[in-house]
Amino acid sequence: MRHSNAQRFLIAPAFDTSSTQDLALRVDEACSSLEVNVLLLEPNDQLREALAVQLAAEGYQVICAATAHRAFELLAGQSFDLFIGKEETPPRSHELILELKKRWPHLPFILLVERAHLHVAQQALRHGADDLFILSQPLEELGEVVERNLSQEALTRRRTKRYRTMLQASGEAVLDAMLTALALRDVETEEHSLRVTAYTIEIAERMAVSKAEMYHIERGALLHDIGKIGIPDQILLKPTKLTSEERRKMQAHSIIGYNMCARIESLRGAARIVLHHHEAWDGSGYPHGLRGEAIPIGSRIFAIADALDAMTSNRPYRRACSLSNALEEIERCSGSQFDPNIVKVALSVPLGRWEQLRHVAST
C-alpha cells in the first residue's frame, strides 16, 4: 500500500493552474505583511547602494535616505523596525541620535562608523545608539548586527516569512510543487506546518543548536507532513476518528515523506527528521520504535512542538485545549513520550511567547 501511494503521487495528477496561482498569491500577500522594514541613512551613494543590496539579500525591506532630513521625513510617514546610518559629518552623529531617540525612543538604531572615527562611536553609544557596524568589516556581517537588534515581534515576522518563502528561494522546484499539492488538498496541514516550525525553532534556539543542525531541523519541521501526499483522500480528509487500519495507513506518511526528501541531497538531513518525527522517548512510537537518544535531536524537539500545536488546535472529534493545559500535558509525558531535557527547555518559554508565535505563524 505504501509503495502504490507513493507511486500514485509520482505519476501525479495535473493541478488546477488557477488554484495554484491563487495559493501563490495568498502566500505572496502573507509574506508582504511580514516584511521587516529597515531605514538606511548613508550619504555616500556607492556605499549606500552596497549596504542596501546586502540588506536586501538578507531578506529585509530597505528604504534609503541620503540625508538626515530625508530620513526623518520617512520616519514620520511610515513604520520601520530598525534604523541604520550615519551623518555626513561624523561628529554630528550624536545630534542625529538625540533627535531620533526624542521622537522615536523605541526604534533601534545602529550607527555606521569608519574605523578612524571610533571616538565618535563611543560618544554615540553614550547618547543612545543601540549598536555599531564598523564599515571596514565584511558587509556579510551586517545581517548579524541587524538581527540582534530587532524586537521579538520583528524577529518572529522575519522567521515566519522565511518559512513561507524558503522553498521558493532555495530553487527546489520539485519540492515546492509537492508542498503546493499538499496545501491544495489540505490547507490546515499547511497552517500546522508553519506553526510547528515556529515552535521547533524557538526550542532549538534556546538549546543553542548549531547553525548546521538548525538548517536541517527547520526544513524537517516544515516538511514533516509531506508524506501525506501519498495518503488516500478518504483517510487524509476524514472528519471523524480513524479506524485502526486507517491509522496504520496514515502512519505510513513518515516513510513516504522520508523517501521523497532523501532523494534530494540538500534535504537528506531533514529527511531523518521527517522519518522519525513520531518516535517516542520510551520506544513506543513509530515507524521504528527508536528509544531515547537514538532518536535524532531534531525529531525529539519537533515531537514537543507537534504535540503542542495538536492539542491547541480544534479537531472534528474534540475541542482545542489552552496552551497552559497543553504544556501541563507535555510535562506529564516527560520521560515517556518526550525527552525530559527538551521538555524543561519548552517549559522555560514564557506562555506569552508561545501565544505570540502561534498568532504570527497563523496569519
Side-chain angles (χ1 to χ4, degrees):
M1 176 62 72
R2 289 197 296 265
H3 175 75
S4 63
N5 284 335
Q7 188 177 53
R8 178 171 65 86
F9 169 71
L10 293 173
I11 57 172
F15 303 128
D16 177 66
T17 304
S18 62
S19 297
T20 304
Q21 289 173 340
D22 288 345
L23 178 65
L25 181 61
R26 285 194 291 110
V27 172
D28 289 343
E29 289 173 347
C31 287
S32 66
S33 70
L34 297 168
E35 294 286 1
V36 175
N37 297 312
V38 174
L39 176 60
L40 173 63
L41 166 62
E42 172 50 59
N44 182 283
D45 292 344
Q46 289 184 328
L47 181 55
R48 184 172 65 249
E49 181 178 358
L51 290 166
V53 168
Q54 181 61 41
L55 288 165
E58 294 278 349
Y60 297 102
Q61 183 75 20
V62 187
I63 306 296
C64 296
T67 67
H69 177 74
R70 177 56 181 156
F72 283 124
E73 284 184 340
L74 290 166
L75 283 169
Q78 65 186 96
S79 176
F80 289 91
D81 297 293
L82 186 129
F83 185 12
I84 307 173
K86 72 175 193 296
E87 282 274 36
E88 185 170 5
T89 305
R92 294 187 57 198
S93 291
H94 73 279
E95 298 176 9
L96 169 71
I97 297 165
L98 288 172
E99 181 65 14
L100 175 69
K101 292 301 180 179
K102 177 182 176 182
R103 298 173 64 182
W104 295 279
H106 302 298
L107 181 66
F109 177 75
I110 299 172
L111 177 69
L112 299 174
V113 61
E114 303 284 353
R115 190 168 292 279
H117 299 138
L118 286 180
H119 63 286
V120 175
Q122 294 170 354
Q123 188 180 45
L125 288 170
R126 287 197 298 271
H127 284 94
D130 297 281
D131 213 331
L132 307 172
F133 182 77
I134 301 172
L135 289 167
S136 58
Q137 294 175 251
L139 290 185
E140 292 77 10
E141 296 179 14
L142 178 59
E144 295 181 13
V145 180
V146 170
E147 184 150 322
R148 72 177 178 234
N149 284 281
L150 292 174
S151 68
Q152 281 296 325
E153 190 273 336
L155 275 173
T156 301
R157 279 189 281 120
R158 173 169 163 76
R159 290 171 185 163
T160 304
K161 181 186 175 184
R162 187 166 69 240
Y163 305 153
R164 294 181 187 269
T165 61
M166 183 179 63
L167 294 177
Q168 288 82 352
S170 71
E172 291 158 2
V174 172
L175 196 56
D176 184 29
M178 293 175 183
L179 281 177
T180 300
L182 180 59
L184 287 171
R185 292 181 69 197
D186 186 4
V187 172
E188 172 56 29
T189 296
E190 178 191 28
E191 295 171 353
H192 164 71
S193 293
L194 291 171
R195 291 192 300 268
V196 294
T197 300
Y199 297 165
T200 300
I201 294 300
E202 181 71 20
I203 297 171
E205 285 185 341
R206 289 172 180 266
M207 294 176 63
V209 168
S210 70
K211 286 186 178 180
E213 188 66 29
M214 187 72 80
Y215 173 88
H216 299 303
I217 289 174
E218 182 175 9
R219 289 182 166 217
L222 186 63
L223 300 169
H224 72 280
D225 271 341
I226 192 64
K228 288 183 178 178
I229 284 289
I231 303 301
D233 287 349
Q234 62 267 30
I235 295 177
L236 180 65
L237 305 179
K238 186 177 180 180
T240 56
K241 280 189 175 182
L242 301 179
T243 66
S244 297
E245 178 61 18
E246 289 170 337
R247 190 178 304 110
R248 185 188 66 79
K249 292 178 180 179
M250 177 67 89
Q251 289 175 352
H253 79 273
S254 59
I255 296 175
I256 296 170
Y258 171 80
N259 289 334
M260 293 166 70
C261 294
R263 297 176 185 179
I264 301 171
E265 184 175 357
S266 64
L267 293 175
R268 286 175 185 163
R272 296 179 66 240
I273 297 171
V274 172
L275 178 63
H276 296 300
H277 71 277
H278 282 296
E279 303 284 2
W281 181 253
D282 63 4
S284 62
Y286 66 86
H288 295 148
L290 298 184
R291 180 187 298 270
E293 293 185 359
I295 305 168
I297 182 69
S299 298
R300 283 180 271 147
I301 295 172
F302 174 84
I304 294 173
D306 190 38
L308 183 61
D309 188 62
M311 286 187 282
T312 55
S313 299
N314 285 319
R315 294 289 184 267
Y317 47 86
R318 62 151 176 81
R319 294 186 60 80
C321 71
S322 67
L323 277 164
S324 58
N325 287 341
L327 290 166
E328 288 175 3
E329 180 64 13
I330 287 170
E331 183 176 23
R332 188 184 70 80
C333 295
S334 176
S336 55
Q337 187 173 351
F338 307 119
D339 181 334
N341 291 323
I342 301 177
V343 169
K344 290 178 183 177
V345 175
L347 294 176
S348 73
V349 179
L351 188 62
R353 177 62 178 155
W354 288 125
E355 291 171 343
Q356 181 188 42
L357 288 168
R358 181 174 182 82
H359 172 73
V360 176
S362 298
T363 56

